[in-house]
Amino acid sequence: MSITKADITTKYIIEKAAPIFNKKGYAATSMADITKATGLTKGAIYGNFENKDAIAIAAFNKSVNDLLKQIAQHQEQSNSPLQKLYLITDFYRNYYDYSKNLGGCPILNVGVNAHQQHTPLLNKVQEVIARTQRNVAKLVTWGQEVGEIKPEVDANKFARQLYTKIQGAVFMCHTMDDHQYLVDATQEIDSLITQELKSQ
């Protein structure tokens, strides 16, 4: 399947728009911001997207997919489900610097912003959080199946705990401009994995 000029333009618009939406939020991002960043006219942009909503959703999808790919690649360092849990926290230990380059965490930024203003975007954020938590729960279940994780552990509860602690720490990092919040949170999660999940 060949890539068309329209495909290239669409990808270019998304790449330029994603950090703007992430930094400024949906409501504060104007079409003028997007035309300035892309160097394209409104007509050219609307030739590729129906409206600002469509650009915002595509931009969010790009930011999140890039993030999820980074996490997945980091987890490839081990075939052990237990070690993969440790690799999630290992990735997030340095997430502050990664997310600063994006203008903040796209899930946190868009989630807070969209909760008040934009239901389709909020739905996208909720889908990503639910999918991420399902993936963590699957690792726990897999670990139980191979005997690395205690059978009595509630996989879904742990997935919620992990994600809540990490996103809370991400919020504090960006609010206080201090990456130590993520360092502390990931160490706490590692201790929880070792003491509460790991089979002796």
Side-chain angles (χ1 to χ4, degrees):
M1 185 174 164
S2 60
I3 298 173
T4 66
K5 185 179 178 183
D7 292 333
I8 294 169
T9 304
T10 298
K11 185 172 181 286
Y12 172 74
I13 293 168
I14 293 168
E15 285 175 350
K16 293 293 184 181
I20 301 171
F21 277 111
N22 197 38
K23 289 173 186 174
K24 297 187 71 171
Y26 173 79
T29 299
S30 66
M31 286 305 298
D33 292 326
I34 297 170
T35 56
K36 182 179 178 183
T38 59
L40 300 171
T41 64
K42 279 187 184 180
I45 292 169
Y46 283 132
N48 291 271
F49 293 94
E50 185 181 351
N51 49 37
K52 190 175 96 167
D53 287 10
I55 304 171
I57 289 170
F60 174 72
N61 286 340
K62 182 206 177 325
S63 295
V64 167
N65 287 335
D66 287 351
L67 169 60
L68 296 180
K69 279 179 191 172
Q70 291 283 336
I71 297 171
Q73 286 172 2
H74 197 69
Q75 287 181 295
E76 287 174 4
Q77 295 176 59
S78 176
N79 291 321
S80 154
L82 184 71
Q83 292 305 316
K84 284 180 183 291
L85 289 176
Y86 286 120
L87 285 166
I88 293 174
T89 60
D90 186 60
F91 174 85
Y92 275 103
R93 197 163 286 120
N94 298 307
Y95 181 65
Y96 182 48
D97 290 334
Y98 174 87
S99 58
K100 270 205 301 189
N101 293 331
L102 303 175
C105 172
I107 297 166
L108 185 65
N109 286 3
V110 177
V112 171
N113 185 261
H115 194 270
Q116 303 297 330
Q117 301 164 349
H118 196 269
T119 302
L121 261 181
L122 178 61
N123 291 341
K124 286 288 181 183
V125 176
Q126 290 172 337
E127 286 171 16
V128 170
I129 292 172
R131 185 174 75 187
T132 303
Q133 291 181 166
R134 280 196 304 272
N135 288 341
V136 173
K138 284 178 185 176
L139 283 178
V140 174
T141 302
W142 177 20
Q144 290 170 324
E145 290 169 355
V146 298
E148 290 185 356
I149 293 175
K150 295 173 184 175
E152 65 269 22
V153 172
D154 184 326
N156 291 319
K157 182 180 177 182
F158 173 74
R160 289 193 301 270
Q161 282 181 307
L162 180 144
Y163 203 74
T164 300
K165 279 183 179 289
I166 285 176
Q167 283 299 337
V170 170
F171 170 79
M172 291 303 295
C173 277
H174 284 283
T175 302
M176 302 304 292
D177 192 21
D178 183 355
H179 86 293
Q180 190 62 40
Y181 288 97
L182 265 172
V183 173
D184 293 345
T186 51
Q187 285 175 347
E188 284 179 21
I189 297 167
D190 282 350
S191 294
L192 182 65
I193 294 169
T194 302
Q195 294 166 18
E196 304 292 332
L197 272 71
K198 187 178 179 182
S199 293
Q200 300 303 317

